[in-house]
Amino acid sequence: MNTDNSLVYEKAKKAIEKYAMLKKGSKVIVGLSGGADSVCLLHFLNSIKNEYDLTIVSAHINHGIRGDEADNDARFSRELSESLNIEFKLLEVDCIKEAKENNETVEEAGRRIRYEFFSSLADGENSVIATAHNSNDNMETVIFNLTRGASLSGAKGIPPKRENIIRPLIFCSREEIEEYCKGNSLSFVTDSTNLSDDYTRNKIRHLVIPELKRINSNAEAAFSRFSESVRSDAEYLDELAQEAFKKAEINENSYSVSVLNSFHKAIKNRVIFKAIEKFSGETPDSKKIQAVFDCIDGNSKIQLYKNCYAETKNGVLKLFSDVNNICEKKEKIELPEKVFNCEFKGYSIKSELYENISQKVNDLLLDNLIDCDTIYGNLVLRTREEGDKITLRKRNVTKTLKKLFIEENIPKEEREKIPVIADDNGVVWVFGFGVNKKNAKTENTKNILSVKGEKYGFTKNE
């Protein structure tokens, strides 16, 4: 194994240490496409397996798009994994069908499916997902975002680490990765879609970047330094904006114009961005933010989205909808008994109680099982409330339900109908996402509450 003296090994180890990507005993899910990048990543992680006491699982997805070529890629990925004594997991899916059913582009559906699959394998607190993004990918992303008129956020590029997703190769160039493969006699496959200019990113890859490299042959590294610098600046500004948001907020979705106008434009931009995103669930672009600026200056009313308006009146900026806000009419069902069967906003929610459990429970049901002894006070069935948070058992990341629903692309009108079971300490279980980690069954649990939900005939046991 010829790794110790390679640039890839040096840069990847440095990235792991700088961003604390791995802990001793980590389980690492490696996204393995069969291409040079992912082959390099799998081989590199396997080379440090003993040092970090890693459990490595390779995960490959056949998107059902490229026929025999895709089947060959899956076969190659399996054989490579087996040759390294690494556990191999395969998901076969019709990505085009999924895209149509979810009103997504094929690229969007593919990305969603990939991360859902990886997350399903990353069970446990010490599990991470490793993807093979490199400095070329980062460069392409920054160019793509800037071409669309992105703000500082878009210039941050691809982060080395985000929650439980790590990217050890993010500072390695594609040329360095291919040299690593050559030096270690590693074969790889080539996705034919990457050789065409049909997709925007491939046009950047094949037409734009070669021209930039004529100006600076080390352009990838320059873009990596730029992204790191931007991320640092953006993090600081976001911290300032968070404090500014609290100062400007008068009450729910209402903000003091005089306080907003006292901020530097960079902070004011972020506060307005956060206000729009919080109310509408949409990610506003620069045009929407400028429209609110104009609204503030002109004491006027504007429409931002279908059911999202902004109006300035008497020194107050208010975001509102022309229809009754569902959030203001939340229904609650008290659950004095732990065994219940309820109809709620188009959902059927029921539970079963198992006391003094001693036998092993099917792991597939874990997201649906509540440790009764962790329930504090009374249970209530309701919808999301401001500030609700959950730590998902598999992800081990705490998020507000608002942010979680937005990230999962749940339509705004549906977010306020999703059933939530809570006790006096907060969220216990959420339809479609499962039990809060603090209430999850453990090996010491004796009394279990099993919750199941159905919507329009579709069962969701998560």
Side-chain angles (χ1 to χ4, degrees):
M1 189 175 289
N2 179 26
T3 59
D4 291 351
N5 296 321
S6 75
L7 278 173
V8 165
Y9 186 88
E10 179 184 332
K11 290 183 177 182
K13 279 295 294 290
K14 188 174 181 180
I16 287 172
E17 293 165 4
K18 181 177 181 178
Y19 293 95
M21 294 181 180
L22 294 174
K23 298 178 182 177
K24 289 281 187 180
S26 289
K27 178 180 180 181
V28 187
I29 310 303
V30 182
L32 179 64
S33 68
D37 300 339
S38 63
V39 167
C40 171
L41 176 63
L42 186 69
H43 187 270
F44 163 74
L45 288 171
N46 194 54
S47 76
I48 62 170
K49 178 179 179 177
N50 293 334
E51 179 182 350
Y52 286 90
D53 188 24
L54 303 178
T55 298
I56 302 176
V57 177
S58 66
H60 180 87
I61 300 170
N62 185 335
H63 295 90
I65 295 176
R66 296 179 291 117
D68 291 342
E69 183 182 356
D71 293 337
N72 289 334
D73 291 355
R75 189 178 305 110
F76 170 85
S77 297
R78 179 186 295 276
E79 291 173 355
L80 172 65
S81 301
E82 290 175 350
S83 72
L84 296 172
N85 294 317
I86 290 172
E87 183 180 0
F88 177 76
K89 295 290 186 179
L90 172 66
L91 175 67
E92 295 180 320
V93 63
D94 188 338
C95 195
I96 294 176
K97 181 181 177 183
E98 285 277 338
K100 289 179 179 178
E101 290 178 351
N102 291 278
N103 194 29
E104 300 169 306
T105 66
V106 174
E107 291 85 353
E108 289 170 341
R111 184 182 187 282
R112 173 179 58 78
I113 291 167
R114 281 195 298 277
Y115 282 100
E116 286 177 354
F117 179 46
F118 297 158
S119 294
S120 72
L121 299 174
D123 52 344
E125 294 183 14
N126 205 13
S127 295
V128 294
I129 297 166
T131 65
H133 292 95
N134 57 50
S135 62
N136 293 65
D137 296 320
N138 179 70
M139 184 177 179
E140 292 162 13
T141 297
V142 173
I143 293 171
F144 179 73
N145 289 341
L146 294 178
T147 303
R148 294 191 303 168
S151 63
L152 199 61
S153 179
K156 291 189 295 186
I158 302 173
K161 180 181 179 181
R162 178 174 60 82
E163 297 177 354
N164 70 332
I165 299 172
I166 63 171
R167 302 180 174 102
L169 304 184
I170 195 63
F171 300 113
C172 304
S173 71
R174 190 164 288 128
E175 290 83 357
E176 291 166 347
I177 288 169
E178 291 180 357
E179 185 63 30
Y180 178 99
C181 291
K182 181 179 178 182
N184 287 279
S185 302
L186 298 173
S187 58
F188 52 86
V189 297
T190 303
D191 183 343
S192 62
T193 59
N194 284 333
L195 298 179
S196 72
D197 289 331
D198 293 339
Y199 300 97
T200 302
R201 286 183 180 274
N202 281 344
K203 289 181 179 179
I204 293 172
R205 178 178 301 175
H206 299 301
L207 301 177
V208 178
I209 289 181
E211 294 300 320
L212 292 176
K213 285 179 70 66
R214 289 188 177 93
I215 299 172
N216 179 1
S217 61
N218 204 22
E220 300 95 338
F223 269 78
S224 291
R225 292 193 298 272
F226 169 69
S227 293
E228 278 201 286
S229 175
V230 168
R231 276 194 294 272
S232 177
D233 292 348
E235 286 171 5
Y236 175 66
L237 290 172
D238 287 342
E239 288 177 9
L240 295 180
Q242 183 63 34
E243 292 301 315
F245 183 90
K246 294 176 183 177
K247 292 179 182 178
E249 190 174 37
I250 299 172
N251 49 50
E252 188 76 7
N253 303 314
S254 295
Y255 308 88
S256 166
V257 170
S258 62
V259 174
L260 285 172
N261 285 335
S262 70
F263 301 140
H264 186 281
K265 185 177 179 180
I267 302 301
K268 187 176 176 181
N269 269 340
R270 283 169 166 73
V271 172
I272 291 174
F273 178 99
K274 180 177 174 62
I276 297 172
E277 184 180 55
K278 178 185 174 185
F279 178 81
S280 68
E282 304 287 346
T283 301
D285 57 21
S286 57
K287 292 181 180 179
K288 292 286 192 297
I289 294 172
Q290 184 58 49
V292 174
F293 268 70
D294 296 340
C295 177
I296 291 173
D297 293 339
N299 285 320
S300 58
K301 172 183 174 181
I302 58 169
Q303 182 175 7
L304 296 170
Y305 300 102
K306 183 178 180 181
N307 266 325
C308 176
Y309 295 80
E311 182 178 31
T312 303
K313 184 186 295 184
N314 299 324
V316 176
L317 169 68
K318 182 174 178 61
L319 296 174
F320 64 96
S321 169
D322 268 3
V323 298
N324 292 329
N325 192 334
I326 300 174
C327 293
E328 296 173 355
K329 293 189 174 183
K330 285 183 168 63
E331 298 174 13
K332 291 186 179 181
I333 299 177
E334 300 292 337
L335 302 171
E337 302 293 335
K338 288 187 171 64
V339 179
F340 50 85
N341 191 342
C342 303
E343 296 296 324
F344 182 78
K345 293 183 177 290
Y347 295 80
S348 174
I349 309 295
K350 60 182 179 180
S351 72
E352 295 180 78
L353 181 63
Y354 301 93
E355 298 181 300
N356 299 315
I357 292 294
S358 58
Q359 70 270 28
K360 181 175 174 60
V361 178
N362 189 332
D363 288 348
L364 296 176
L365 302 177
L366 285 178
D367 281 345
N368 206 35
L369 302 180
I370 298 169
D371 184 338
C372 289
D373 296 330
T374 65
I375 296 172
Y376 182 78
N378 297 320
L379 287 179
V380 62
L381 177 62
R382 58 171 173 79
T383 53
R384 180 190 68 83
E385 293 183 350
E386 192 65 33
D388 275 347
K389 295 180 179 180
I390 188 171
T391 303
L392 298 179
R393 187 180 64 85
K394 290 181 180 178
R395 303 186 195 178
N396 198 35
V397 175
T398 301
K399 293 185 179 182
T400 64
L401 296 191
K402 174 83 171 181
K403 183 176 182 180
L404 186 63
F405 292 171
I406 291 172
E407 289 180 352
E408 294 295 325
N409 297 315
I410 297 173
K412 186 172 186 296
E413 62 272 14
E414 288 298 318
R415 293 177 212 151
E416 311 308 335
K417 300 176 184 177
I418 294 176
V420 174
I421 294 177
D423 63 8
D424 293 350
N425 274 340
V427 174
V428 173
W429 176 90
V430 181
F431 177 87
F433 297 93
V435 65
N436 201 337
K437 184 180 176 182
K438 67 182 177 65
N439 302 106
K441 174 193 174 298
T442 68
E443 60 183 12
N444 297 319
T445 298
K446 295 298 182 183
N447 302 309
I448 296 174
L449 186 67
S450 172
V451 181
K452 294 184 180 180
E454 295 183 3
K455 177 185 178 184
Y456 306 124
F458 174 67
T459 302
K460 190 79 170 178
N461 292 329
E462 294 185 343

